[in-house]
Amino acid sequence: MKKVLLEMEDQKNSYEQKAKESLQKVLEEKMSAEQQLQSTQRSLALAEQKCEEWRSQYEALKEAWRNLGTQHRELESQLHVLQSKLQGADSRDLQMNQALRLLENEHQELQAKIEHLQGDRDLYSSDTQHLQDQLKRSEEEKLALVAKVQQLQSLLQNQSLQLQEQEKLLTKKGQQIYFHKF
C-alpha cells in the first residue's frame, strides 16, 4: 500500500509537474497572446489612424474634385463666351478687312483721279501759262493802243484846236474882209 501510495504520490507529483508545466506553458502562451494582442491592437490603431488619414485625404480629394468640376464648368462657360467673342471678333475682323479693301479700292480710284487731275492741272497750267502770256501780250498791246489812242486824241485835240483857231482866224479875216468891203 505504501508502494501504491508512493506511486500515487509520484503520479500526483508527476501530474502536478505536468500541470505546472502546462500551466506555465498556458501562461507563456497567454503572455505571448497578450503581446500579440497588444501588437495587433497597436497595428489596428495605426491602421485606423491610417484609415482616418486616408478618409480625410479621400474627403479632401473629393472636395477638390468637386471644386475642379465647378472650375471646369466655369472654364467651359468662359470658353464658350470667349469662343462667341472670338467669332464676333472674327466677324468684325472680316468686316474690317472688307471695309479696308473697299477703302483701298477707293484710295486707288482716288489716286488714279488725283493723277488724272494732276495731268489735267499740268495741262491746264500749261494752257493757263499760255493764256497768261497771251493776256500779258494783249495788255501790253492794249497799253500800247491806249497810248497811241491818247496820242491820237491829243493830236486830234491839237488839230481841233488848230482848226478852231484857223476858223477863228478865217472868221476874223472873213469879217475883216467883209468889213473892208463895206
Side-chain angles (χ1 to χ4, degrees):
M1 209 110 148
K2 251 186 179 183
K3 199 177 176 181
V4 172
L5 270 175
L6 280 176
E7 277 180 18
M8 282 180 75
E9 181 95 13
D10 280 342
Q11 277 183 352
K12 178 184 158 199
N13 283 341
S14 171
Y15 285 136
E16 281 181 359
Q17 186 63 35
K18 284 183 183 178
K20 281 183 186 178
E21 285 175 4
S22 288
L23 191 58
Q24 184 68 28
K25 201 174 181 181
V26 168
L27 281 174
E28 285 175 2
E29 287 176 358
K30 180 184 172 192
M31 286 180 69
S32 175
E34 283 179 355
Q35 285 175 353
Q36 282 182 345
L37 176 64
Q38 288 176 356
S39 175
T40 305
Q41 284 177 338
R42 281 193 299 273
S43 294
L44 177 63
L46 283 172
E48 285 176 345
Q49 184 180 355
K50 284 274 186 196
C51 183
E52 192 55 41
E53 288 175 7
W54 289 344
R55 184 176 293 121
S56 174
Q57 287 179 359
Y58 170 75
E59 290 298 325
L61 287 172
K62 203 160 82 170
E63 183 64 27
W65 181 253
R66 271 195 298 272
N67 289 339
L68 283 173
T70 303
Q71 287 176 356
H72 177 72
R73 285 187 294 281
E74 288 173 0
L75 288 173
E76 277 184 335
S77 174
Q78 289 176 3
L79 177 65
H80 290 307
V81 168
L82 288 174
Q83 284 175 337
S84 174
K85 286 182 180 178
L86 180 62
Q87 286 174 348
D90 285 345
S91 174
R92 284 191 299 277
D93 186 46
L94 183 62
Q95 290 173 351
M96 295 293 266
N97 282 335
Q98 289 173 346
L100 180 61
R101 280 193 292 279
L102 285 174
L103 287 173
E104 286 173 348
N105 289 340
E106 284 181 29
H107 176 72
Q108 289 173 352
E109 288 172 7
L110 289 173
Q111 193 66 33
K113 284 182 182 178
I114 287 171
E115 289 171 5
H116 179 72
L117 289 172
Q118 283 176 341
D120 287 352
R121 186 193 67 194
D122 292 342
L123 182 64
Y124 292 146
S125 177
S126 172
D127 289 348
T128 303
Q129 186 62 42
H130 180 67
L131 288 173
Q132 283 176 344
D133 292 342
Q134 283 182 345
L135 180 63
K136 188 175 178 184
R137 281 193 299 276
S138 294
E139 285 178 355
E140 288 172 355
E141 288 173 6
K142 176 185 163 190
L143 288 174
L145 287 173
V146 166
K148 200 168 197 173
V149 166
Q150 286 175 348
Q151 187 180 16
L152 289 172
Q153 282 177 341
S154 175
L155 185 63
L156 278 173
Q157 281 179 348
N158 287 339
Q159 286 178 352
S160 178
L161 286 173
Q162 287 175 358
L163 279 173
Q164 284 175 359
E165 283 181 27
Q166 284 178 359
E167 280 179 5
K168 283 182 188 178
L169 283 175
L170 284 173
T171 309
K172 278 185 182 182
K173 281 186 182 182
Q175 284 177 357
Q176 286 175 357
I177 294 176
Y178 181 71
F179 286 124
H180 278 88
K181 280 185 181 184
F182 294 110

